[in-house]
Amino acid sequence: MVAYLKNNFFLLLTAVLFPFVVSSSYKNFSMMVTENEINNICTSKYVNSSFCYELLKSTPKIATLDFYGLTKFLIKYEYRNVSDALNQIKLSAGNATDLQTIDLCVRLYEDTLDDTGLILKALAAKKYFSVSDYISALNADVDTCTDELVIMKPRLEVLIRRSKVIINISSIIFCILDCYLIKEKPEC
């Protein structure tokens, strides 16, 4: 019996491991974001549908991503938007009459940029609640700045619009976290 097992060890190992390899490959393949799932995300009641479809349908790379990859892509995309907004804020400082608001927004957006590395680390560690907390803090910072920009004279409409884009990206991330990664929202 021992000799038989010893001689057929690889055959036995293959027979035992094959179902696991096939099922894990299938599981990874089936986790790619589908057209139907993009529709579910973009029609969520908290997501700006037109923005969502424009972003997710215009980027061919998204069809090759799973939910983790899509979330990572969106976090990086949000980072670029925050970085662009920060640059616009700094450029506006010379024309602005309310330097306190500009300074506040610069601090808030710099904090947001600093947190991006932490967000990506939390995502990599599958700490989805932490990712959600960081994105919530990002939104609070953006909202605080936007609230100040709205009452500032002259109004910096470009920055207000950019802030809305950042918030829209966050809403897509929240939907993916809640409906597909954390999977705790029954209304998804």
Side-chain angles (χ1 to χ4, degrees):
M1 179 72 171
V2 172
Y4 176 78
L5 287 176
K6 191 175 186 181
N7 289 336
N8 294 312
F9 175 73
F10 291 109
L11 181 61
L12 181 62
L13 184 64
T14 303
V16 170
L17 293 180
F18 183 74
F20 294 110
V21 171
V22 170
S23 67
S24 68
S25 296
Y26 177 75
K27 184 178 179 183
N28 287 339
F29 178 74
S30 68
M31 294 299 289
M32 298 299 157
V33 179
T34 66
E35 187 80 23
N36 189 41
E37 290 163 334
I38 287 175
N39 289 336
N40 288 343
I41 293 166
C42 291
T43 56
S44 172
K45 66 181 177 180
Y46 299 109
V47 172
N48 178 331
S49 294
S50 60
F51 175 84
C52 181
Y53 280 120
E54 183 180 325
L55 176 61
L56 297 183
K57 299 264 184 170
S58 66
T59 311
K61 178 182 177 181
I62 289 178
T64 65
L65 300 174
D66 59 6
F67 288 108
Y68 169 86
L70 178 57
T71 305
K72 185 176 180 179
F73 170 85
L74 290 169
I75 291 167
K76 289 181 175 184
Y77 185 72
E78 189 168 52
Y79 174 88
R80 288 191 303 273
N81 277 273
V82 170
S83 181
D84 290 346
L86 178 59
N87 289 335
Q88 288 177 337
I89 292 167
K90 288 178 178 178
L91 289 172
S92 301
N95 300 330
T97 56
D98 186 354
L99 293 179
Q100 279 185 309
T101 297
I102 295 296
D103 288 342
L104 172 67
C105 288
V106 166
R107 282 195 317 269
L108 292 172
Y109 276 74
E110 284 176 343
D111 287 348
T112 298
L113 289 178
D114 290 343
D115 286 347
T116 302
L118 299 172
I119 297 169
L120 291 171
K121 283 181 185 176
L123 179 66
K126 297 183 180 183
K127 295 181 178 180
Y128 302 127
F129 288 108
S130 294
V131 173
S132 184
D133 289 344
Y134 282 122
I135 297 294
S136 293
L138 179 149
N139 281 354
D141 288 348
V142 170
D143 282 338
T144 300
C145 178
T146 303
D147 291 345
E148 295 298 318
L149 290 172
V150 168
I151 58 175
M152 190 172 97
K153 301 290 183 207
R155 281 177 58 149
L156 300 174
E157 293 296 331
V158 172
L159 292 173
I160 294 168
R161 283 193 303 276
R162 176 72 68 167
S163 297
K164 289 178 183 175
V165 167
I166 294 166
I167 298 298
N168 284 333
I169 297 167
S170 292
S171 70
I172 298 169
I173 294 170
F174 282 134
C175 182
I176 294 168
L177 288 171
D178 291 343
C179 297
Y180 297 100
L181 294 176
I182 297 172
K183 299 177 185 175
E184 287 205 1
K185 284 220 171 176
E187 69 267 8
C188 295

